[in-house]
Amino acid sequence: MESPVPFTESSCSSEFVLESPKSIKEFENKAGQKWAREIVIDYWTRTDVGWLLAPMLKILSVIAKENPTPGGLSRSYCLEVFYKIGDVMTQQHWFVKIPKSLQTVTMDERELVMYNTIFPRLKVFLQDSLLPNEKVELPIPTIYFSSFMGDGVNDCLVIENLCADRYFQVDKDTTKLAYMRAAMNSLASVHGLTFSFMKSLGGRENLLNQFPTIKEQVLPRNKKVKKMVNETMLPFLMYMAKVQPDTAQQLMVLAKFHKFLFVCTMT
């Protein structure tokens, strides 16, 4: 049984913060195992009312490796966590994100607010207002732990590693039309639900007043970049339509509006 989610904008899903490991060695040593144990206990305590098995929980091992396709703003790791409660052994697959620097924590904070506050609100709205009496799930991974202090020490996000359930990352073989449709369907579901939720709050301004962290970040204008994008966008789209014929129809639609794409990417 899930515990109630407080409806206030917060950057931490738990009642405590943890100092984040910074390397594979730190994840796998005794301190890293203690860190993992705290997360497992916190997760089950929050999500299973009456769970009292913490004294019996023992971390057997933590196996860590760096994410083979890291982003530019965070250090990310793939963890396999083995633990047992009594005689029952469990293996969990974690994906851990840690901000690279204090200059990049703003994006991580916005991500945590989405996972910790807005997605739970959307799920409750979907259950209570749109699909009452039905079990619903949003297309997002399980969030095991998150903490944001903005100090570069206690900032991390620990979520389910979907690769363990046969999901895969985008590569040259997963950009065909079928994969694009699946991705866009998932995005459309979340966007449509968010639009209905926004209307229930009274509109865009009320939404941003409740969740100021997600306000749009407008990047500084740069004439040289704008000129370069405007000159290369149409040839690039035409090239992609030729080498990826499965997506040619969608790319040609973008080509009709190529003069406006720079503005779209800057907001």
Side-chain angles (χ1 to χ4, degrees):
M1 178 178 178
E2 293 188 356
S3 57
V5 178
F7 291 162
T8 56
E9 184 172 18
S10 168
S11 294
C12 184
S13 63
S14 309
E15 295 181 356
F16 71 102
V17 294
L18 291 173
E19 182 174 345
S20 306
K22 299 295 189 297
S23 66
I24 291 177
K25 183 178 179 180
E26 291 185 13
F27 279 114
E28 295 181 341
N29 64 20
K30 289 185 178 180
Q33 292 184 15
K34 181 179 179 182
W35 173 83
R37 184 176 187 274
E38 294 285 350
I39 290 176
V40 174
I41 291 175
D42 173 70
Y43 173 76
W44 286 116
T45 301
R46 286 184 292 105
T47 59
D48 190 351
V49 176
W51 188 81
L52 300 172
L53 301 178
M56 301 173 60
L57 192 148
K58 180 180 180 181
I59 299 294
L60 302 177
S61 66
V62 176
I63 301 174
K65 64 179 182 179
E66 292 185 357
N67 177 21
T69 55
L73 302 178
S74 303
R75 300 190 308 275
S76 49
Y77 302 88
C78 301
L79 271 59
E80 292 185 55
V81 180
F82 298 86
Y83 66 89
K84 68 176 183 178
I85 301 175
D87 295 328
V88 179
M89 190 177 80
T90 300
Q91 177 185 6
Q92 288 184 343
H93 302 269
W94 294 357
F95 185 81
V96 181
K97 291 183 65 177
I98 300 173
K100 276 189 175 181
S101 68
L102 294 178
Q103 285 71 41
T104 64
V105 295
T106 302
M107 294 300 295
D108 293 88
E109 181 184 18
R110 295 174 72 187
E111 185 173 11
L112 294 187
V113 169
M114 287 298 302
Y115 279 122
N116 294 336
T117 306
I118 297 179
F119 283 138
R121 286 287 300 268
L122 289 177
K123 183 175 180 180
V124 171
F125 174 71
L126 182 60
Q127 288 176 320
D128 293 348
S129 303
L130 302 180
L131 296 172
N133 303 319
E134 292 188 28
K135 184 178 179 180
V136 295
E137 294 292 340
L138 295 178
I140 60 173
T142 300
I143 302 97
Y144 290 113
F145 178 79
S146 60
S147 171
F148 179 83
M149 298 293 289
D151 57 4
V153 176
N154 300 287
D155 305 325
C156 74
L157 173 66
V158 182
I159 63 177
E160 175 188 10
N161 186 352
L162 295 178
C163 290
D165 289 331
R166 297 186 179 181
Y167 287 84
F168 42 82
Q169 294 175 311
V170 174
D171 57 33
K172 65 179 181 180
D173 295 321
T174 60
T175 54
K176 296 181 181 179
L177 190 56
Y179 297 103
M180 292 178 64
R181 282 175 174 163
M184 294 306 295
N185 283 338
S186 294
L187 288 173
S189 297
V190 175
H191 284 203
L193 175 59
T194 304
F195 183 74
S196 296
F197 178 63
M198 179 181 70
K199 290 183 66 176
S200 74
L201 296 179
R204 180 175 179 273
E205 291 301 319
N206 288 343
L207 175 71
L208 295 179
N209 286 336
Q210 285 200 31
F211 310 106
T213 306
I214 65 170
K215 286 186 177 180
E216 295 176 351
Q217 304 294 312
V218 180
L219 300 175
R221 302 291 178 178
N222 187 306
K223 291 183 179 179
K224 289 184 179 180
V225 174
K226 180 179 180 180
K227 184 175 183 294
M228 180 185 68
V229 172
N230 285 339
E231 289 178 350
T232 58
M233 182 61 72
L234 182 58
F236 172 73
L237 292 173
M238 300 303 290
Y239 168 76
M240 290 300 298
K242 186 174 182 179
V243 299
Q244 294 287 346
D246 286 348
T247 63
Q249 183 178 358
Q250 287 74 18
L251 291 168
M252 294 308 295
V253 172
L254 288 177
K256 291 182 179 180
F257 302 97
H258 72 276
K259 293 182 180 180
F260 307 99
L261 295 181
F262 177 79
V263 177
C264 294
T265 59
M266 293 294 288
T267 57

